Amino acid sequence: MREPETNHFRHCVRRRIGRGKHRWGQKRIRVAMAGNPNSKRIRIALAGNPNSGKTSIFNALTGQRQHIGNYPGVTVEKKSGVISVDGKLVEFIDLPGTYSLSAYSIEEVVSRDFVLNEKPDVIIDILDSTNLERHLYLLLQFQELGVPIVGALNMSDEADTKGIRIDSEQLGAILGIPFVKTIGSTGGGVDQLLDVALKVADGELDSNRRHLNYGKEVELAHNAIIDALETDVTFRKRYSLHWMAIKLLEKDQDAIKKIKKEHRFADTVLEITAERQKRLERYFQEDSEVIIGEQRYAYIHGALKETVSTVRKRKGIDVTESIDRIVLNRYLGLPIFMAVMFLIYEMTFALGNPLSDGISILFVRLSRIISAVLPAGPLQDLLTNGIINGVGGVLTFLPLVTLLFLGLSFLEDTGYMARAAFVMDKLFHIFGLHGRSFIPFMISTGCAVPGIMSARVLSNRKDRIVTILVAPLMMCGAKAPVIAMLVAAFFPEHATLIFLGIWLFGWVMAFIIALIFKKSLFRGEHTPFVMELPPYRRPSLKSVIIHMWGKASEYVKKAGTIILAASIVVWFLLSYPKPSPETIAESPREPSVVYSYAGRIGKGIEPVLKLAGFDWKVGVSLVAGVAAKEVIISTFGILYGMDNNVTENQSHVEFFVKDQLIRDPAYSPLMAFALMLFIMIYIPCLATLAIVKKELGSWKWPAFQAAYTLLVAFTMAVAVYQIGGLLGLGV
Amino acid sequence: MVLSESQQDYLKIVLDLINEKKVARVNDIARRKAVSMPSVTEAMRKLARDGFVYYSAREFVELTPKGLRTAHRLCSKNTFLKNFLVDVLDIDTDMAEKEACELEHHLSLSTLERFILLYQFLGECHKNNRITLDLFKKCIRITEGNGDKAEECQSCFVASNFPHHPGKNTVHTLLSQLERGQEARIIKLGPDPDIRRKIIEKGILPGTKITVETVGGDNRNFELQTDGFLVEISPEAADMIETAVEQKNEFRRLSDLKTGQKFKVQKIYAKGEIRRRLLDIGFIKNEKGKIIREALLKDPIEIEIKGMKVSLRRSEARLICVDEVK
């Protein structure tokens, strides 16, 4: 192992080994005391760098039996799957793909907290065999956490073709960790991997009983900090002191926080740490963070020198580089990106919209059948207009969501997604956004619901929140007919120009507001763009389908329930209270929606809306439009006394409303213009708000979104109406 | 705490050894001071008791922050005196070294300051052929704040072009103009007597080599490293201290390289999350890489490092100091 230098050092080593035995020994006792060992679930966490083929190994291990959820308290996706091996239940947890275990990104904190708090029985670290040097860096950090590890040397077929020979046994002997060669794309070696992992979990195979040596100077500092940490007995039991000491030397903020909160002699520990850091930094003339990073890489380098040999130089063409030469070409890059995005957009909407329409027709039929069967009354109303309408609303998005994620997972799996960000980053960075924000923006021009879900391509939370907050400002498929109708009614001469202008207005507002948010609410250091451009890989159909299926079912289960509940609430607001018989007798032509809560709100806010030139009819329609933007037209129809039964024929309604609007003397082109701007910006539809809640994990964000969009929309509309009125434009 | 002469020498030797060999061993100290090992051990115990060094039996000697401060002050004083003896009095180097060691124990701070002024005065005015004792005294009076500023010595203590130790490509600049990570040698302390005294007390004397750790300004202090020791300097003082910077051409920012160029990582100036990311992704010292291409508006750029392709914004690449590789 190592050469103990001084008495002090020898003492430390001896004690540390002792502690290690004690720790794992204790665990075995616990397992034994739990009674029948078969009843205990073995928990295996999967870790690895992004692009290490972790997902394909996870799929190969669990198959379809996957559960997608979130890690508690954060919106980092947690995938898990349970299988049974020889009667024992084995649970696999897919940790987020990261390069390191620092405290800077949520994904990394989630990974390490999972290991620290949940103490999985084994960690399988998936490594790309063609680039072990960089992938082992993460493995070493899991090793520091002191948990049993099995290393999966994935993509070993690729390594073979490149002539990279890995002596996995020797590597295992050096690092004290068993390694298994696997091929994720075909599932090769996965059975053996599972076998070894289970043996380690049972204690049949040793793993990670050894700590890596950071070199004499660092070890001295390290041991001194461990000595200081040991003074608190409860703390000693809770954390791996070895790990904690390294993190302290690395100036890890999370570790410092933990010490301050949980260690009894926090001040002494931090003082000793600071002093040791200074000494190290003086010795190496480097930052301690850098020193430890370098020592890790040096250790890896040494281990690989003895175990990896490249037999023959790689010959032939580098496929990735040849593709990139075209795809990332300075001048071709942007057109290619646009073409790819157009394809994804077309696939989602051209294929998805007919399916969505089909689903909605199906639900209209269903509600007709129910109205025919059930007697008219509140129950029938609830079933047809509330529940069936709501469920239909959820399911009409389903084809869009499914197709979108089919496209996105294809982009992600091939490796193009990172290139897209590379091409678009400069432009988006001007507005404080990440290159990848383009995808949610673009999808939102079709529909904000899948658009917001696609914001997951952004790994940074701040970027994601800002993107999600502004994405619904785009003109979506539901706003388009409303705007088109208004344009046709009031600006028949310049219809195309005005429509295009309004469409652009959505984009411009999204960018401006994003910039404002970035400068105010989300100020601070830009998140690093540093990002891997992974080699192109052929996506496996299986993993694309599993991914798509997962997203679709997640959407229905999580978002669907919220959307459904919200639709029922809106239905209630629009239908209750019913007008009393007397009022019907008084004004029989008045539609019942006027008496509902929504109608009353619309009428109640008329004095305020007057500032923007809107009357109560507009008010009621806008309130109803929160449910879904296309409802604005049908509400107008009802308010103009259209028969409720004809509202199914959309074009007929549009024609009728357009006609009525032109004839209504209360409406001027100026007011219509203000109204269009208002509709573009104001509160996103319920489904969008629901999906924002789902994606960002709190009602705070949709509430904020609704509030700020309403404020901006109203200010904009009032300004346009008042200034336009003063200038005498379009009155 | 007054240290004896020999204790001062010990501290200096320890600092020297640490700077030279990274560690100070008892036997090395003994050899350098030409005394026996037990007496070194004894002296180290004493110094450890007074809080100047960390020492326990059979371990390396390390300086405490207090010890480091003291040792560093002694060393910079010594270096200055040596320069003075060689440059001004033209004494040969060996002799100067020996006598500087003797002198330094006996000079008070204010006398040392006068020596510094003389050194600067001579350096400044000798090319004008106007060195007279009167002029020197007048200059001292001016810098002390009494006496009118004489016409003939306007350039004194303020202007640049110090002639001593001209390096090959040295450029003279004010300390406040230096960038983070730049190395420089102190040439001249400013005209303000109060600030000058403070600087001298901190061990920053003409001839001291420094590296800028933190660039200050707007009430933030500058942090300088000299011999592995951090010194804080107020922004006002930094505006007065003149330094000579060796121009190094080989160190460049990654963002300045062109497509296709190869490089070797030297240092990362980034802080916080970006620094961590860069480290984790493999930007460690002496790692080789290559710039593969740039995007449409020359930003971001694609880089190959540790067998992986990485994209970076130009603003991030600017924070990486590299060595160009042919």
Side-chain angles (χ1 to χ4, degrees):
Chain A
M1 216 170 120
R2 66 192 106 188
E3 290 271 310
E5 274 288 314
T6 59
N7 277 341
H8 169 72
F9 192 63
R10 206 174 295 138
H11 171 64
C12 281
V13 171
R14 201 184 307 127
R15 200 181 40 210
R16 212 133 37 95
I17 291 167
R19 192 161 58 235
K21 265 185 193 151
H22 173 65
R23 192 167 65 237
W24 298 116
Q26 202 178 30
K27 201 182 69 170
R28 265 185 223 119
I29 291 166
R30 208 172 58 222
V31 173
M33 273 167 45
N36 182 6
N38 290 339
S39 66
K40 198 197 169 246
R41 215 180 238 207
I42 295 170
R43 298 197 309 157
I44 301 177
L46 263 75
N49 283 15
N51 311 309
S52 60
K54 190 157 65 77
T55 314
S56 56
I57 296 273
F58 182 73
N59 288 338
L61 281 167
T62 60
Q64 252 74 26
R65 295 166 294 270
Q66 294 185 7
H67 172 80
I68 301 176
N70 279 345
Y71 285 93
V74 288
T75 48
V76 177
E77 194 172 277
K78 177 185 182 180
K79 276 199 287 185
S80 58
V82 182
I83 59 165
S84 134
V85 182
D86 306 333
K88 270 186 273 183
L89 287 180
V90 182
E91 184 182 6
F92 294 96
I93 301 106
D94 193 17
L95 297 177
T98 57
Y99 294 107
S100 173
L101 285 182
S102 68
Y104 283 112
S105 75
I106 334 174
E107 284 80 9
E108 295 181 15
V109 175
V110 160
S111 292
R112 64 194 226 185
D113 281 354
F114 182 83
V115 176
L116 283 177
N117 302 333
E118 308 271 315
K119 301 204 168 47
D121 297 289
V122 189
I123 289 181
I124 295 181
D125 190 18
I126 292 136
L127 310 142
D128 178 353
S129 306
T130 60
N131 193 354
L132 270 186
E133 189 176 3
R134 84 147 326 93
H135 284 247
L136 280 173
Y137 187 79
L138 181 72
L139 182 122
L140 287 195
Q141 297 189 50
F142 276 109
Q143 200 176 6
E144 284 162 9
L145 281 164
V147 277
I149 303 176
V150 177
L153 298 169
N154 200 20
M155 306 186 191
S156 49
D157 50 340
E158 268 184 52
D160 279 345
T161 48
K162 283 187 178 174
I164 301 168
R165 293 261 169 86
I166 301 165
D167 184 346
S168 57
E169 296 216 342
Q170 177 71 12
L171 185 65
I174 291 175
L175 296 177
I177 285 171
F179 283 94
V180 180
K181 288 188 180 174
T182 57
I183 304 167
S185 49
T186 61
V190 172
D191 290 339
Q192 206 201 336
L193 179 69
L194 180 61
D195 196 43
V196 171
L198 289 178
K199 272 187 188 157
V200 170
D202 284 347
E204 279 175 50
L205 250 176
D206 271 354
S207 170
N208 198 15
R209 293 291 200 84
R210 186 181 310 169
H211 292 304
L212 88 119
N213 190 338
Y214 296 95
K216 205 168 66 192
E217 291 77 20
V218 179
E219 286 292 325
L220 272 172
H222 185 212
N223 288 333
I225 298 173
I226 291 184
D227 283 346
L229 284 171
E230 270 189 337
T231 49
D232 186 333
V233 181
T234 45
F235 193 85
R236 199 163 80 191
K237 281 188 187 143
R238 206 171 306 145
Y239 296 104
S240 152
L241 298 189
H242 174 87
W243 175 78
M244 201 42 109
I246 275 294
K247 286 290 140 184
L248 283 178
L249 269 181
E250 275 191 293
K251 302 178 185 163
D252 185 280
Q253 291 307 315
D254 191 55
I256 293 173
K257 224 182 348 185
K258 282 200 169 93
I259 293 284
K260 277 188 184 154
K261 220 164 72 190
E262 296 172 41
H263 201 281
R264 260 203 302 161
F265 308 106
D267 291 343
T268 328
V269 171
L270 294 179
E271 209 174 285
I272 288 174
T273 309
E275 188 220 301
R276 288 291 172 167
Q277 253 163 14
K278 252 194 194 149
R279 278 213 236 177
L280 272 184
E281 288 177 1
R282 219 159 59 76
Y283 182 85
F284 286 96
Q285 296 286 312
E286 268 295 359
D287 199 53
S288 61
E289 226 178 322
V290 179
I291 299 166
I292 289 169
E294 282 179 1
Q295 296 293 339
R296 279 197 197 115
Y297 270 123
Y299 185 80
I300 294 169
H301 194 78
L304 290 183
K305 219 171 191 178
E306 289 178 45
T307 53
V308 176
S309 55
T310 309
V311 182
R312 61 190 137 87
K313 276 275 169 207
R314 178 167 35 137
K315 266 192 282 175
I317 42 163
D318 181 346
V319 181
T320 297
E321 183 51 32
S322 335
I323 298 176
D324 273 347
R325 227 167 259 166
I326 301 163
V327 167
L328 291 185
N329 178 287
R330 274 184 71 182
Y331 306 103
L332 288 178
L334 198 62
I336 291 175
F337 168 76
M338 289 296 179
V340 170
M341 285 301 131
F342 180 74
L343 275 178
I344 297 278
Y345 186 91
E346 276 298 293
M347 195 189 75
T348 307
F349 293 106
L351 228 64
N353 276 338
L355 287 173
S356 296
D357 291 348
I359 289 176
S360 67
I361 289 170
L362 218 68
F363 275 89
V364 170
R365 295 246 170 93
L366 185 66
S367 82
R368 256 198 230 143
I369 293 168
I370 288 188
S371 345
V373 173
L374 282 177
L379 180 67
Q380 186 221 40
D381 199 25
L382 172 69
L383 271 178
T384 53
N385 291 328
I387 294 175
I388 291 180
N389 211 354
V391 173
V394 172
L395 293 185
T396 46
F397 289 119
L398 189 61
L400 299 184
V401 170
T402 314
L403 285 166
L404 172 75
F405 278 101
L406 178 71
L408 288 186
S409 69
F410 184 78
L411 288 190
E412 195 86 70
D413 289 0
T414 49
Y416 184 74
M417 195 70 96
R419 270 84 182 174
F422 183 78
V423 171
M424 289 304 288
D425 185 68
K426 181 72 188 175
L427 187 67
F428 275 70
H429 191 54
I430 299 171
F431 300 97
L433 292 168
H434 190 279
R436 288 189 181 193
S437 297
F438 185 80
I439 292 161
F441 275 26
M442 188 201 58
I443 300 294
S444 293
T445 59
C447 174
V449 171
I452 282 167
M453 286 180 84
S454 72
R456 289 187 189 172
V457 296
L458 294 158
S459 52
N460 176 269
R461 188 167 164 81
K462 273 189 196 171
D463 288 341
R464 232 174 102 185
I465 294 177
V466 173
T467 306
I468 287 178
L469 284 180
V470 299
L473 299 180
M474 303 289 167
M475 185 183 297
C476 67
K479 285 180 201 167
V482 185
I483 303 290
M485 183 205 74
L486 285 169
V487 169
F490 292 98
F491 307 96
E493 302 95 70
H494 308 289
T496 323
L497 200 68
I498 301 262
F499 185 81
L500 207 66
I502 299 281
W503 188 85
L504 272 177
F505 170 77
W507 278 87
V508 171
M509 284 308 285
F511 275 117
I512 292 175
I513 292 177
L515 186 64
I516 293 172
F517 283 157
K518 269 283 178 177
K519 293 269 174 209
S520 55
L521 289 176
F522 301 93
R523 212 167 32 200
E525 211 173 311
H526 279 298
T527 50
F529 183 68
V530 188
M531 173 185 72
E532 182 180 357
L533 297 175
Y536 287 108
R537 295 222 158 85
R538 190 157 3 106
S540 91
L541 187 65
K542 189 181 166 195
S543 78
V544 168
I545 286 174
I546 288 180
H547 185 74
M548 190 178 86
W549 174 249
K551 294 289 175 191
S553 62
E554 188 196 356
Y555 163 76
V556 171
K557 275 187 237 155
K558 297 284 169 54
T561 43
I562 306 177
I563 296 176
L564 178 59
S567 334
I568 293 173
V569 170
V570 169
W571 162 79
F572 179 79
L573 288 178
L574 280 169
S575 348
Y576 288 92
K578 297 277 183 207
S580 60
E582 299 93 68
T583 40
I584 294 181
E586 266 171 43
S587 46
R589 284 196 55 79
E590 197 87 286
S592 64
V593 67
V594 176
Y595 299 98
S596 69
Y597 292 113
R600 286 169 199 212
I601 294 171
K603 274 199 153 178
I605 56 174
E606 193 181 11
V608 185
L609 291 180
K610 263 282 170 253
L611 287 172
F614 304 162
D615 66 359
W616 68 270
K617 287 203 191 82
V618 177
V620 176
S621 306
L622 289 176
V623 172
V626 175
K629 295 296 150 84
E630 66 269 26
V631 175
I632 294 175
I633 299 179
S634 55
T635 313
F636 264 126
I638 294 169
L639 292 176
Y640 278 115
M642 200 176 192
D643 192 349
N644 221 339
N645 294 327
V646 220
T647 50
E648 273 149 38
N649 190 333
Q650 193 71 24
S651 58
H652 186 79
V653 182
E654 273 175 37
F655 186 78
F656 174 80
V657 173
K658 191 179 118 188
D659 199 45
Q660 290 290 330
L661 285 176
I662 296 171
R663 269 193 262 156
D664 197 324
Y667 300 152
S668 65
L670 179 63
M671 173 252 139
F673 192 71
L675 181 61
M676 285 195 290
L677 298 190
F678 190 88
I679 290 174
M680 278 304 287
I681 302 172
Y682 94 112
I683 313 182
C685 70
L686 268 181
T688 305
L689 291 174
I691 211 85
V692 170
K693 188 289 162 173
K694 212 246 113 200
E695 291 295 305
L696 295 180
S698 130
W699 279 110
K700 190 177 79 181
W701 292 113
F704 171 72
Q705 192 175 32
Y708 100 78
T709 47
L710 188 61
L711 188 74
V712 173
F714 187 68
T715 322
M716 209 87 172
V718 171
V720 166
Y721 186 73
Q722 296 295 345
I723 294 171
L726 284 176
L727 298 175
L729 291 170
V731 192
Chain B
M1 170 64 52
V2 182
L3 289 169
S4 72
E5 263 175 52
S6 108
Q7 278 180 316
Q8 291 185 3
D9 286 343
Y10 272 122
L11 280 183
K12 250 171 31 193
I13 289 167
V14 171
L15 183 64
D16 272 352
L17 280 170
I18 287 175
N19 283 334
E20 262 169 50
K21 302 189 170 182
K22 302 210 160 178
V23 285
R25 283 178 232 270
V26 169
N27 56 351
D28 287 335
I29 301 173
R31 201 171 309 136
R32 199 152 293 194
K33 198 159 190 296
V35 291
S36 70
M37 297 231 306
S39 46
V40 176
T41 314
E42 184 55 34
M44 288 304 126
R45 286 231 177 86
K46 243 182 224 162
L47 283 171
R49 201 185 50 221
D50 295 340
F52 287 98
V53 298
Y54 298 109
Y55 175 71
S56 53
R58 282 181 295 283
E59 268 202 66
F60 304 141
V61 180
E62 296 249 17
L63 291 167
T64 62
K66 180 176 154 195
L68 187 58
R69 203 160 48 233
T70 320
H72 171 254
R73 206 180 298 150
L74 290 167
C75 276
S76 59
K77 201 163 150 188
N78 178 280
T79 317
F80 167 74
L81 285 171
K82 208 162 61 196
N83 286 345
F84 185 87
L85 294 180
V86 174
D87 296 342
V88 178
L89 305 182
D90 204 17
I91 295 167
D92 76 273
T93 325
D94 290 343
M95 182 72 116
E97 208 154 300
K98 212 175 123 218
E99 300 201 327
C101 288
E102 307 276 314
L103 266 173
E104 69 181 17
H105 299 305
H106 304 289
L107 284 181
S108 73
L109 195 65
S110 53
T111 318
L112 179 72
E113 195 190 348
R114 289 293 157 88
F115 269 114
I116 290 169
L117 286 177
L118 180 61
Y119 184 69
Q120 293 181 2
F121 170 80
L122 292 171
E124 199 54 57
C125 298
H126 87 144
K127 63 177 183 290
N128 301 339
N129 295 324
R130 275 192 271 126
I131 314 168
T132 59
L133 191 59
D134 273 349
L135 189 57
F136 176 57
K137 283 184 178 162
K138 208 186 278 172
C139 284
I140 286 177
R141 274 203 303 281
I142 291 164
T143 63
E144 299 277 286
N146 359 299
D148 296 329
K149 192 154 186 158
E151 181 74 19
E152 63 262 50
C153 90
Q154 243 174 11
S155 65
C156 257
F157 306 111
V158 194
S160 53
N161 292 325
F162 195 72
H164 300 290
H165 305 300
K168 266 180 208 154
N169 299 314
T170 52
V171 170
H172 289 222
T173 42
L174 291 177
L175 182 57
S176 51
Q177 303 298 314
L178 296 183
E179 276 183 55
R180 180 178 148 84
Q182 253 187 319
E183 284 176 20
R185 205 160 39 79
I186 302 290
I187 293 296
K188 201 156 56 169
L189 311 175
D192 185 309
D194 292 337
I195 292 179
R196 187 174 57 226
R197 233 160 266 148
K198 267 185 210 149
I199 299 169
I200 293 172
E201 273 175 45
K202 283 179 176 157
I204 302 282
L205 305 181
T208 314
K209 277 198 184 120
I210 52 127
T211 314
V212 181
E213 273 294 305
T214 317
V215 177
D218 300 333
N219 299 325
R220 263 188 318 123
N221 283 345
F222 282 77
E223 280 179 2
L224 312 176
Q225 222 208 56
T226 89
D227 297 332
F229 176 63
L230 266 191
V231 182
E232 284 199 14
I233 295 277
S234 69
E236 299 85 50
D239 266 335
M240 289 176 200
I241 300 174
E242 205 175 288
T243 61
V245 186
E246 292 240 0
Q247 290 261 290
K248 281 186 186 167
N249 293 324
E250 63 269 40
F251 269 31
R252 300 181 64 181
R253 307 266 177 161
L254 182 54
S255 52
D256 298 334
L257 297 193
K258 291 201 180 66
T259 307
Q261 267 183 314
K262 289 180 183 164
F263 62 86
K264 216 160 140 192
V265 177
Q266 285 303 329
K267 204 171 168 74
I268 300 175
Y269 290 137
K271 283 195 166 169
E273 189 179 353
I274 297 184
R275 178 190 185 83
R276 185 76 231 180
R277 279 283 153 270
L278 290 172
L279 276 178
D280 289 340
I281 229 147
F283 281 89
I284 56 171
K285 198 166 176 169
N286 291 331
E287 188 66 38
K288 281 180 196 150
K290 183 184 169 190
I291 299 196
I292 298 183
R293 63 170 60 81
E294 46 194 19
L296 183 60
L297 296 163
K298 300 200 164 211
D299 190 14
I301 52 178
E302 183 183 341
I303 279 161
E304 188 172 330
I305 193 159
K306 270 208 194 293
M308 178 168 118
K309 285 169 180 165
V310 181
S311 82
L312 284 179
R313 284 190 184 127
R314 217 161 256 282
S315 57
E316 291 159 349
R318 228 179 67 74
L319 301 170
I320 303 167
C321 197
V322 295
D323 231 354
E324 213 178 300
V325 177
K326 289 282 167 320

